[in-house]
Amino acid sequence: MDTSSPAVFVNGELLKVHQGRRVRAVVQVSRADGPTMVGQSTDGHQLFVKGSPSLFPPSHFVEVIGIADGGGSIRAEICTDFGTSFDAQSYNQLCVLANGELKSLFI
Amino acid sequence: MYGGSQNDGNSLFSGGGFMPSQATQTPDSGVSPAKSRGTQGVLPLTVKQISEAFHSSDDKSGFVIDGVDASNVRLLGMVTKKMERVTDVSFTLDDGTGRIDVNRWVNEAAETNEMAAITNGMYVKVNGNLKGFQGKRHVVAFSVRPVTDFNDITNHFLECIHIHLCNTRLQYSAPSSMGGSENDIYNLVLGVFQEPASVASEHGLHVDEVARRLGIPMNKIKDAINYHVDIGHIYSTIDDNHFKSACNG
């Protein structure tokens, strides 16, 4: 039982709030820029994923768990391919709920 | 998604097919045969909720979350530190809100095969029995199934939220006009203060925190707090809004 390092559900907007903390976000891959993966967050922001352990095909949804850096980027620890049929809108709503009045269930 | 007549959180999740393995795990069920587990179903939870769950030490597995018996739970998260032994497989489940140890006894070939397919880094859905032993909480799993559709992740956490709201708000807003509910609120409020996390915190709990946790109107919370302060169950700490339980756990 250990709740000391949770990974908060975030979208592009909420990522700014959690700088320096462990977060998880789902991004839709648009391109790879060297070691950095560029993608779109569930609320339409552009996110940069640094240190992504593997390459993911464009338009796939990828869950990134890592540390929130400044400037809309995440230092990735774990990336999971969620495939192409992922409901980004519902996930985005979940991010909002998990950071709002129901925060206590998550962090 | 959750419209219609399904306004009772528990009814959504009743009827799990786990009776046989439960029977083997609690051979001494003669102690409390009246406890109808079948009506409870499995409760979708986050690890964070389990870590804050109230555990009555006199009962063997008396976990209560949002006022509901939380013996059968459903968790969803990523498998880490998987270890296979002859009779059981254990791993740590990380659901993003926390980590909890999960244990799965493997007696039959089907169970062994199910667990062999589980690897580290995989998202799985765990249905199991929540256990507390010497202050440590862990889950004895009935089933561990890989997540194949990742929308299940969103779905699981939305379920956790939905059930939490069903069990807190709807339940307590309805009977508030009835007689006798005053005492229930007093007990609920005291329960929050007596949670291990509340007792451990130096300044105790803020009134707002209590109100938010219970989903009860602020004036009722204040009434209950005044009552408990008068009786000596709790006392105010750094200011008039922070209170702490007078008994140390």
Side-chain angles (χ1 to χ4, degrees):
Chain A
M1 202 77 235
D2 171 20
T3 52
S4 58
S5 61
V8 198
F9 282 104
V10 294
N11 55 24
E13 197 60 41
L14 290 160
L15 183 63
K16 299 170 190 161
V17 185
H18 293 287
Q19 250 188 57
R21 268 180 278 181
R22 212 163 156 247
V23 294
R24 52 156 132 192
V26 169
V27 299
Q28 190 170 24
V29 181
S30 28
R31 64 193 155 85
D33 196 0
T36 305
M37 181 170 79
V38 185
Q40 206 176 36
S41 69
T42 49
D43 60 342
H45 285 65
Q46 197 171 56
L47 293 189
F48 301 93
V49 180
K50 295 181 199 160
S52 160
S54 55
L55 277 176
F56 295 97
S59 86
H60 270 230
F61 289 94
V62 174
E63 185 202 45
V64 181
I65 299 176
I67 308 293
D69 268 350
S73 72
I74 301 174
R75 253 184 296 134
E77 287 167 8
I78 307 166
C79 293
T80 313
D81 193 344
F82 278 8
T84 49
S85 60
F86 185 74
D87 184 352
Q89 215 186 335
S90 296
Y91 188 89
N92 192 52
Q93 288 298 318
L94 174 62
C95 294
V96 174
L97 288 171
N99 283 274
E101 54 169 330
L102 295 153
K103 214 172 169 175
S104 63
L105 300 191
F106 296 90
I107 45 175
Chain B
M1 186 195 264
Y2 294 111
S5 60
Q6 302 164 321
N7 48 13
D8 176 12
N10 284 323
S11 67
L12 280 173
F13 299 96
S14 56
F18 304 119
M19 297 316 280
S21 41
Q22 269 175 14
T24 56
Q25 274 152 24
T26 53
D28 54 343
S29 60
V31 181
S32 56
K35 211 173 176 185
S36 57
R37 288 209 167 117
T39 59
Q40 287 291 345
V42 288
L43 198 63
L45 291 174
T46 66
V47 175
K48 173 82 192 305
Q49 284 177 286
I50 293 175
S51 75
E52 290 175 342
F54 178 68
H55 187 204
S56 52
S57 51
D58 52 325
D59 196 345
K60 261 184 90 182
S61 58
F63 283 98
V64 176
I65 294 175
D66 299 332
V68 172
D69 171 52
S71 49
N72 294 336
V73 300
R74 179 189 298 152
L75 302 173
L76 187 151
M78 198 179 264
V79 175
T80 57
K81 299 180 194 160
K82 187 191 169 200
M83 288 233 294
E84 288 188 44
R85 283 180 290 264
V86 180
T87 53
D88 71 311
V89 176
S90 69
F91 59 87
T92 303
L93 188 84
D94 186 343
D95 79 343
T97 73
R99 283 180 275 265
I100 191 165
D101 292 332
V102 179
N103 217 279
R104 173 79 199 266
W105 297 103
V106 286
N107 300 317
E108 293 159 29
E111 291 168 337
T112 315
N113 292 340
E114 183 183 301
M115 289 314 295
I118 307 295
T119 55
N120 284 335
M122 191 183 256
Y123 271 105
V124 293
K125 228 183 231 186
V126 174
N127 288 311
N129 195 233
L130 186 57
K131 303 265 186 196
F133 181 63
Q134 295 181 341
K136 276 191 75 178
R137 287 156 193 209
H138 69 278
V139 172
V140 176
F142 312 133
S143 77
V144 180
R145 301 193 180 117
V147 168
T148 47
D149 180 346
F150 290 99
N151 287 307
D152 280 357
I153 297 173
T154 314
N155 196 29
H156 170 77
F157 288 103
L158 289 175
E159 269 175 10
C160 293
I161 291 173
H162 177 71
I163 298 302
H164 168 73
L165 291 178
C166 279
N167 289 339
T168 50
R169 287 209 190 140
L170 302 181
Q171 190 177 334
Y172 297 125
S173 59
S176 59
S177 57
M178 286 158 57
S181 67
E182 208 84 305
N183 264 332
D184 294 345
I185 294 176
Y186 286 2
N187 289 335
L188 282 171
V189 169
L190 190 60
V192 172
F193 282 105
Q194 288 180 340
E195 280 174 20
S198 316
V199 173
S201 116
E202 194 185 338
H203 301 317
L205 284 179
H206 194 277
V207 182
D208 285 342
E209 170 80 6
V210 181
R212 191 183 51 73
R213 290 262 286 277
L214 295 175
I216 296 173
M218 184 58 99
N219 56 342
K220 296 228 158 97
I221 300 276
K222 287 233 166 102
D223 281 352
I225 286 178
N226 288 338
Y227 167 81
H228 286 303
V229 168
D230 286 347
I231 291 226
H233 288 157
I234 57 176
Y235 59 95
S236 69
T237 58
I238 47 169
D239 58 30
D240 287 344
N241 287 321
H242 282 81
F243 296 90
K244 202 175 163 179
S245 169
C247 61
N248 290 318

